[in-house]
Every structure is written in C-alpha cells, then in structure tokens.
Amino acid sequence: GAGVSQSPSNKVTEKGKDVELRCDPISGHTALYWYRQSLGQGLEFLIYFQGNSAPDKSGLPSDRFSAERTGGSVSTLTIQRTQQEDSAVYLCASSLGPGQGQEYFGPGTRLTVT
Amino acid sequence: DAKTTQPTSMDCAEGRAANLPCNHSTISGNEYVYWYRQIHSQGPQYIIHGLKNNETNEMASLIITEDRKSSTLILPHATLRDTAVYYCIVRVDGTGGFKTIFGAGTRLFVKA
C-alpha cells in the first residue's frame, strides 16, 4: 500500500522567505511526527501529533516554526523568515498510534536556504 | 537526550554477520528497544524491536541481555546494501505524548 509521502522533495528558497512542507501519512495512522536532519547529523525531533490531542511542540527550535494537521490526516510544517541554518532534510513519519509499533518515514524534503 | 550509546562506526565483510551493539543502561521496565536504519538519502526504515526476549524477523535478529541494559542487532549475512546508519532507540509503547529520540547511530560499512 501507499507509504508516507512528502512534498516537495526538494525546495530552494531565499533567506527571509516563508516555506511550507507537506506530509501525507499512511491512511489510518493517528500519530504523525516531524523530524529534521542536518547534513551528517542524526534526527532531531520537532513536533508530534496524536489524533485530536494538542500536539507536542517541544522540539520546535523557534517561533518561526509551526505545524498543523488538518482533519487528522495531512500535515503542513511552516517555516517563516527562513534562515540558512534551517537548511536540512525535513522528515515526516506516521504510526498507528502513540508508540504503537514502528514509525514509517517518508522520503523527506530537502530544504536549502540561500 | 538519547538514552542509548552506540559505536560511531563499524566495518563488516560482505557475507559475514554484522553485530551492532547498543548500550541502554538506564532503560525502564516498560521501555522497548527499537532499531531503525537509514540508507543514504532515504528516510529511516524500521528493522526490529523487542522488550526482553530475543526477536528475529526476515531482516535481522535482536539479542537483549537478561538485565536489559544492552542489546545487539545481528544482520546474519551482510550485503553491500546493508551499508547504512543504524539507530538504537528505547521508548515506551502504547502511551501518548511521547517522542522518539534518535541518537547519532552507528555507521556500518559493509565491504566486498
């Protein structure tokens, strides 16, 4: 079946511009996660959604970052006034529920801020 | 911070078993051990997980010590395509409001 999809696969933007990254989780998965991976680094947790509960935003690095999940499905990660240090691969993952089994990761969106 | 420690890198000859260790000395009784891997330019891929018993699937085996303070992921016959970064993670299953903390992982190089 279909896995987690993300769009765009690559995004180049100028410093100071806003960007939106999209994640389509696996159908029926109630948990959705965003991670960031800078070049050569491990995964950095950003935000976690579970059903209709308030999201865990504890990993968001600054107030320029926000995310929403509409209808318990698609999620959008928004970065306002992008900075060069925001350049990274942004990964989305989903799972059946909070901690239920493994997370399925999407291919990621490679963001480059020039 | 990640609750696990792993070697930074390891080498393995193609066709031989790759044994990747992980230390999780502060693991709680209800925390599972999960392993993922990340092949270059791809999203992480689930491999296997376990609580206290050894586990085996089509990809790998997971050996957890009796005191659960460490574990070993075994790839029985490593191939060149197994070259990747392997992440060992501990987390609680079946509860809400958690986040998976990934450490730096072990970079496994499988050599011909």
Side-chain angles (χ1 to χ4, degrees), chain A residues 33 35 37 40-45 48 50 56 58-59 91 95 97-108 110, chain B residues 34 36 38 40-47 49 87 91-105 107:
Chain A
Y33 316 81
Y35 295 87
Q37 188 170 34
Q41 303 298 310
L43 278 73
E44 175 188 4
F45 167 82
Y48 158 69
Q50 169 50 39
D56 177 351
S58 59
L91 290 156
S95 69
Q100 293 184 32
Q102 67 268 35
E103 296 166 16
Y104 296 83
F105 283 82
R110 182 174 297 278
Chain B
Y34 273 75
Y36 288 80
Q38 187 173 27
H40 182 62
S41 299
Q42 298 180 22
Q45 174 192 26
Y46 165 82
I47 302 173
H49 75 284
Y87 295 99
R91 72 183 203 197
V92 177
D93 261 15
T95 61
F98 85 100
K99 59 197 178 204
T100 300
I101 304 298
F102 285 78
R107 189 171 295 276

Side-chain angles (χ1 to χ4, degrees), chain A residues 1 9 52 75:
Chain A
S9 56
N52 295 322
S75 177

Side-chain angles (χ1 to χ4, degrees), chain A residues 6-105:
Chain A
Q6 293 185 245
S7 60
S9 56
N10 282 284
K11 176 71 176 180
V12 180
T13 189
E14 293 180 351
K15 177 181 174 181
K17 295 287 181 72
D18 297 351
V19 295
E20 285 190 351
L21 312 179
R22 176 188 169 104
C23 172
D24 284 85
I26 293 173
S27 178
H29 281 193
T30 62
L32 186 147
Y33 316 81
W34 283 98
Y35 295 87
R36 176 170 73 173
Q37 188 170 34
S38 301
L39 186 63
Q41 303 298 310
L43 278 73
E44 175 188 4
F45 167 82
L46 296 178
I47 190 169
Y48 158 69
F49 294 90
Q50 169 50 39
N52 295 322
S53 302
D56 177 351
K57 305 179 182 179
S58 59
L60 295 179
S62 78
D63 59 8
R64 295 186 296 103
F65 288 72
S66 63
E68 62 177 22
R69 189 178 184 192
T70 55
S73 180
V74 172
S75 177
T76 302
L77 177 69
T78 301
I79 308 173
Q80 296 178 312
R81 304 180 303 281
T82 52
Q83 304 293 314
Q84 288 186 331
E85 60 263 29
D86 299 335
S87 296
V89 175
Y90 289 80
L91 290 156
C92 176
S94 70
S95 69
L96 280 171
Q100 293 184 32
Q102 67 268 35
E103 296 166 16
Y104 296 83
F105 283 82

Side-chain angles (χ1 to χ4, degrees), chain B residues 31-84:
Chain B
E31 287 184 313
Y32 285 71
V33 179
Y34 273 75
W35 283 83
Y36 288 80
R37 74 179 181 184
Q38 187 173 27
I39 296 171
H40 182 62
S41 299
Q42 298 180 22
Q45 174 192 26
Y46 165 82
I47 302 173
I48 198 167
H49 75 284
L51 183 63
K52 56 183 178 181
N53 297 321
N54 298 337
E55 302 288 342
T56 296
N57 63 20
E58 65 279 4
M59 291 182 66
S61 293
L62 174 61
I63 309 297
I64 303 174
T65 58
E66 190 169 344
D67 63 7
R68 302 207 326 119
K69 293 185 177 182
S70 65
S71 61
T72 302
L73 178 73
I74 301 173
L75 307 179
H77 306 286
T79 70
L80 298 179
R81 287 175 293 182
D82 291 323
T83 292

